[in-house]
Amino acid sequence: MPLVNNKVGDDCTASGDKALADGKALVDSLIKVVACYRHLASCVGGCTDSLQLRDELRQTREKAQNLAGDICHHLTSHLRDKSLPDGQRKEMELLWVAFSSCLELLHVDMCKVLNISGIVSLADSASLVHTGLEGCSDVAARALSLPDLNQAQTDSLPSGLESQERSTMELEISQIDRMIDDMEMKVNVLRWMVEPHGPQYADPLSSTDSVSMAVQSIDEEQQAPTSQPLCQRSHIFVLLLL
Amino acid sequence: MTIRNALRDHGQRYRPRMACLKKAEKVLLEMQDPCTGVKSQPQRLVITIIPHAITGEDIIAWLADRFQIDAQEARSFGSMLVALGYIYPLQDHKRLVIKPDASLYRFQTPYFWPTQQWPVEDTDYAIYLAKRNIRKKGILELHEQEQYNHLHKWMNHKWDFVVMQAKEQYRAAKERKKPDRVVFDCQERAYWVVHRPPPGTVSAMDYGLDRRTDPNTDEVTGESPHDLLVKYSATYSGHDPFLSKCLPSNPWLTDDTTYWALNIVEIPTKMRVERWTFSFKELLSDPRGRDDFRLFLKKEFSGENLAFWEGCEDLKWGTAVAMREKAEQIYKTFLARGAPRWINIDGKTMEITVKGLKHPHRYVLDAAQTHIYMLMKKDSYGRYLKSPVFKETLKKAICPEEHKFKNRRPSLSPIIIRQQEQEQRAKMAANAPVDITQVMSKLSKQGKEMGPRHSK
């Protein structure tokens, strides 16, 4: 850890806290966008693949990249600032680790989408794999924080669109690549020194859909019928009769 | 255009080419064709209906028809597709086989198809397990629980991220329609059954060892790996002591260590000198070769290039404590204006390097080092190979004589040697003056120790 200048005044800590809060908010939204991107990417090549899906992917990707650029600047400038107090530096490093993991996930997802669009072409709609899905436009809405998306339907695929899309994607992927490289070069975060705050297990979220629970449990255990799931504040009990 | 995955792929290992994956993809795309593929039917769950389910017997029939094979072979082929993860069973999801009855299957979405390029990341697995735990606490099976704890230990620094990402993915999934959510969960679960199989099961993803060379084409020259391998083998096979004769002799075969001793002394062997001509890298990596090259450069008054390169290597591989000093030293000696051993690099590289030196780290001189390396390789190396220094070294290089197998007798096998020793000992014991009491006590002790076994 670099030496810290401990002459920290009140405004310094206050502005540092604000910077921390800003960074945290940015990273949280990036995590959300990356999660949504993953859901969208899982539909590519399947029967729900369409121009609209590709459009949503593109928009989500753009948002993710903008966020990533912002976070990169924000965190890099703060972590290279030698006068950052120790506690705040630790928090920043946590955010840094989360950010770099996010970028890696995004990078892999983007590569996979590029790869799949090479194998299964949108133009040939018979080759889209019948996966049993019906569509996931609301996910994109969540990612872009819009109440609902403009559901514009395009009938035919413009001829040059796919190759153009591919080249754009390749550019974007190499951009993310470079960003990850730059990050590693500029700021030296010792990952083994970073300690997380959170719990080992993600707590069950309170508002769960009891109906979908029943559907999923039955799908899982075909031989064992389930009894009614009880929905309490934060606990869900499903009794299996074997 | 190659997407550089090397950094994300820690250790630069490459999964061997699984050609079957590409072929399986083609088959799958045919199979799912709505007109000519396998007939699909809707799957009825409690309240929802999910389309595109196929039965095992239909799959087998289609494969048998398409490839003109018998039912048994079609069944194995189908099971292979399931084991690889292209089709997943809806019931009994842990057994990855095709059952020739009305059991239901579904096609896996391309996102979850097995690929050669990207390893299956543990981070994703951790996120998946965390998600399952959100859905239903304590649902993880024993082996999953163990894996989860293990990942929590070694991926501890990312754990906040893992938990947060799991929550976000879970919430994003809620945005989808119910049937889609069910399908996605099944898809993901099937994916992880393939790639993180429960203990005791055989995984189709077991491909053996990772390789050091990229099974896809070489990025720089566009040659296929076959050509490169053939070239490499042709160049180096004469120099491999196990593939061809080495002079004077392979120490492992003749117990004669002259071969090793020869390469420590001043005068190198002809084979060693020949190796320097293969590539610049070979020359530099051999200390004796590097010395020779240094001598040559001294005569040409361009020794600073090699000195700078060596300084950069020292910085890269040295301790972190000394890094700053070393970087400053190198700057003062080679890069600063009016430096005693100023190296000639282009303006842009100089600018980048000087800027980077304000916050020095291990790789700050990489750009300049590469530039100088290429300079030496393209310019000095060629001249070195034609220079009198090299020719002199080549002339002086010795060609040791082949080991003459004069008194060659096959050595005895250790078993025979041990038997001989035992016979010797027995003879000695037999000839020694016999002490009855000792013999009796020894015999009784032997009898007790050995128990039912016979003594020799």
Side-chain angles (χ1 to χ4, degrees):
Chain A
M1 292 279 203
L3 286 174
V4 164
N5 184 359
N6 276 318
K7 296 196 199 104
V8 177
D10 275 340
D11 3 305
C12 215
T13 10
S15 71
D17 281 339
K18 184 176 177 310
L20 208 58
D22 281 345
K24 186 139 197 350
L26 284 172
V27 171
D28 283 350
S29 39
L30 182 64
I31 290 180
K32 185 175 77 163
V33 172
V34 167
C36 295
Y37 189 75
R38 177 159 280 208
H39 271 278
L40 291 171
S42 71
C43 299
V44 173
C47 49
T48 52
D49 201 359
S50 62
L51 281 176
Q52 194 194 339
L53 179 71
R54 296 297 170 98
D55 206 39
E56 289 167 3
L57 276 169
R58 191 184 44 82
Q59 288 178 321
T60 317
R61 219 171 29 240
E62 271 174 25
K63 172 134 191 206
Q65 282 171 320
N66 291 337
L67 274 173
D70 289 340
I71 301 178
C72 197
H73 283 130
H74 184 92
L75 287 182
T76 327
S77 59
H78 278 95
L79 280 173
R80 288 174 78 144
D81 175 16
K82 298 249 177 352
S83 64
L84 197 62
D86 229 2
Q88 287 194 1
R89 178 167 285 274
K90 282 209 162 84
E91 295 297 315
M92 282 278 174
E93 287 186 347
L94 255 181
L95 287 179
W96 181 265
V97 169
F99 174 51
S100 67
S101 315
C102 255
L103 273 191
E104 283 171 13
L105 280 190
L106 183 67
H107 184 266
V108 170
D109 280 346
M110 281 165 68
C111 289
K112 278 194 175 172
V113 169
L114 186 66
N115 193 36
I116 298 170
S117 54
I119 301 173
V120 180
S121 166
L122 256 189
D124 179 16
S125 63
S127 69
L128 296 175
V129 181
H130 286 227
T131 50
L133 289 175
E134 284 169 28
C136 55
S137 58
D138 293 334
V139 179
R142 180 186 168 82
L144 303 169
S145 313
L146 299 171
D148 73 270
L149 287 180
N150 187 12
Q151 312 258 340
Q153 297 284 343
T154 359
D155 289 325
S156 62
L157 185 66
S159 53
L161 188 65
E162 282 214 49
S163 52
Q164 190 193 43
E165 194 187 313
R166 281 184 74 81
S167 48
T168 331
M169 276 215 73
E170 285 172 0
L171 267 173
E172 291 175 358
I173 293 177
S174 58
Q175 257 180 356
I176 298 267
D177 231 350
R178 254 177 286 132
M179 197 187 299
I180 302 183
D181 285 347
D182 277 342
M183 276 170 57
E184 290 300 319
M185 291 288 139
K186 284 187 188 155
V187 178
N188 183 24
V189 168
L190 305 172
R191 283 184 164 75
W192 54 90
M193 305 262 311
V194 172
E195 281 178 35
H197 296 314
Q200 180 174 354
Y201 292 95
D203 290 323
L205 300 175
S206 46
S207 56
T208 45
D209 188 348
S210 60
V211 182
S212 84
M213 284 294 305
V215 167
Q216 283 163 2
S217 334
I218 286 178
D219 188 50
E220 267 181 42
E221 270 82 44
Q222 281 283 332
Q223 282 85 32
T226 64
S227 67
Q228 264 74 9
L230 308 165
C231 206
Q232 286 190 9
R233 258 259 185 96
S234 57
H235 295 294
I236 303 108
F237 297 98
V238 177
L239 305 170
L240 302 171
L241 304 170
L242 287 166
Chain B
M1 186 252 164
T2 48
I3 298 169
R4 214 162 43 96
N5 280 313
L7 249 186
R8 313 292 99 69
D9 184 1
H10 312 294
Q12 286 116 41
R13 50 174 170 47
Y14 296 96
R15 286 148 290 287
R17 174 179 26 224
M18 289 185 82
C20 56
L21 292 183
K22 281 269 168 266
K23 296 180 189 172
E25 279 168 15
K26 286 208 189 76
V27 171
L28 201 81
L29 289 177
E30 277 186 40
M31 273 177 86
Q32 66 78 44
D33 191 300
C35 317
T36 58
V38 185
K39 293 214 180 335
S40 70
Q41 61 193 62
Q43 176 200 17
R44 293 195 124 72
L45 293 176
V46 174
I47 351 156
T48 40
I49 297 178
I50 304 179
H52 306 145
I54 45 183
T55 58
E57 49 199 8
D58 281 343
I59 297 176
I60 294 175
W62 187 90
L63 286 171
D65 182 53
R66 166 72 178 79
F67 293 107
Q68 298 295 305
I69 50 181
D70 65 346
Q72 180 65 20
E73 196 177 340
R75 191 170 161 183
S76 329
F77 186 18
S79 294
M80 192 193 79
L81 286 177
V82 177
L84 283 175
Y86 286 100
I87 304 177
Y88 60 95
L90 296 176
Q91 302 125 339
D92 198 8
H93 62 272
K94 286 190 213 149
R95 283 193 63 218
L96 300 175
V97 287
I98 288 254
K99 295 189 203 157
D101 52 20
S103 344
L104 293 175
Y105 297 83
R106 196 174 277 134
F107 296 111
Q108 180 66 284
T109 179
Y111 181 78
F112 284 134
W113 284 355
T115 56
Q116 180 194 328
Q117 297 104 310
W118 298 288
V120 175
E121 292 277 0
D122 280 320
T123 318
D124 290 336
Y125 190 46
I127 295 173
Y128 164 67
L129 291 177
K131 259 201 291 190
R132 282 195 45 202
N133 205 63
I134 296 179
R135 230 186 77 200
K136 194 156 133 187
K137 203 164 180 120
I139 195 184
L140 295 180
E141 301 196 12
L142 188 61
H143 76 270
E144 289 172 339
Q145 188 70 47
E146 287 171 5
Q147 296 238 21
Y148 192 70
N149 294 336
H150 175 68
L151 287 171
H152 175 72
K153 207 160 50 158
W154 81 260
M155 234 199 268
N156 196 256
H157 59 278
K158 288 196 198 177
W159 210 254
D160 279 352
F161 166 72
V162 165
V163 169
M164 279 221 62
Q165 177 71 204
K167 282 201 194 137
E168 284 302 328
Q169 285 191 10
Y170 185 74
R171 286 191 192 120
K174 300 283 285 304
E175 297 289 330
R176 299 172 83 160
K177 304 193 194 73
K178 267 173 298 208
D180 284 357
R181 216 182 309 159
V182 173
V183 171
F184 180 72
D185 280 341
C186 290
Q187 287 172 347
E188 208 182 6
R189 183 183 64 183
Y191 178 72
W192 288 112
V193 170
V194 170
H195 292 279
R196 291 284 186 270
T201 51
V202 177
S203 168
M205 297 289 77
D206 270 339
Y207 52 74
L209 299 171
D210 292 327
R211 290 190 190 162
R212 292 217 62 220
T213 52
D214 189 352
N216 305 311
T217 54
D218 178 26
E219 290 163 10
V220 176
T221 59
E223 293 185 42
S224 81
H226 306 110
D227 297 336
L228 289 175
L229 244 136
V230 168
K231 229 175 27 177
Y232 182 88
S233 306
T235 320
Y236 283 90
S237 79
H239 290 254
D240 189 314
F242 285 101
L243 291 181
S244 55
K245 242 173 14 182
C246 82
L247 303 169
S249 63
N250 188 331
W252 299 110
L253 297 176
T254 59
D255 291 334
D256 171 25
T257 54
T258 320
Y259 178 69
W260 292 329
L262 270 180
N263 279 309
I264 306 175
V265 297
E266 253 307 299
I267 305 174
T269 57
K270 270 212 170 23
M271 293 295 270
R272 194 167 168 188
V273 176
E274 193 188 324
R275 261 187 107 131
W276 302 344
T277 63
F278 289 163
S279 72
F280 187 47
K281 194 170 76 135
E282 282 282 343
L283 177 67
L284 278 189
S285 49
D286 186 352
R288 182 68 188 76
R290 210 192 283 189
D291 284 340
D292 220 42
F293 189 58
R294 200 176 295 129
L295 189 65
F296 164 73
L297 287 178
K298 202 160 106 172
K299 294 215 162 108
E300 288 223 332
F301 301 106
S302 54
E304 65 271 3
N305 286 339
L306 186 61
F308 175 71
W309 185 85
E310 287 184 323
C312 292
E313 287 286 291
D314 191 27
L315 179 70
K316 264 206 305 212
W317 300 103
T319 60
V321 181
M323 237 167 41
R324 184 175 271 278
E325 277 176 48
K326 280 190 198 155
E328 279 183 26
Q329 191 63 27
I330 293 178
Y331 176 73
K332 270 194 251 173
T333 319
F334 297 99
L335 295 168
R337 252 178 264 188
R341 304 188 80 180
W342 190 78
I343 53 163
N344 190 6
I345 51 179
D346 66 288
K348 190 152 193 302
T349 317
M350 181 65 93
E351 202 187 299
I352 300 174
T353 312
V354 170
K355 213 163 69 158
L357 276 169
K358 292 205 183 79
H359 301 273
H361 55 85
R362 221 167 265 282
Y363 305 103
V364 69
L365 297 171
D366 252 6
Q369 185 184 8
T370 315
H371 183 99
I372 291 291
Y373 181 85
M374 294 314 258
L375 199 70
M376 287 196 289
K377 180 173 167 180
K378 294 199 173 123
D379 189 29
S380 316
Y381 180 54
R383 279 184 286 128
Y384 165 72
L385 290 180
K386 304 193 188 102
S387 71
V389 175
F390 179 66
K391 291 206 170 82
E392 189 67 34
T393 313
L394 194 56
K395 207 164 71 176
K396 277 210 213 126
I398 54 176
C399 197
E401 271 189 5
E402 206 186 318
H403 180 96
K404 299 227 175 3
F405 293 97
K406 287 193 200 124
N407 305 318
R408 195 180 183 186
R409 41 186 162 74
S411 58
L412 296 171
S413 118
I415 300 172
I416 299 176
I417 291 177
R418 206 179 300 135
Q419 276 180 0
Q420 282 182 349
E421 280 175 11
Q422 280 185 340
E423 281 166 19
Q424 272 248 320
R425 248 187 268 135
K427 228 190 279 177
M428 294 283 290
N431 289 337
V434 173
D435 189 352
I436 300 274
T437 44
Q438 284 207 355
V439 169
M440 290 306 288
S441 61
K442 206 159 132 200
L443 278 174
S444 62
K445 249 194 263 165
Q446 261 187 353
K448 277 193 208 135
E449 277 169 15
M450 290 197 168
R453 272 171 61 206
H454 298 300
S455 53
K456 267 204 169 163

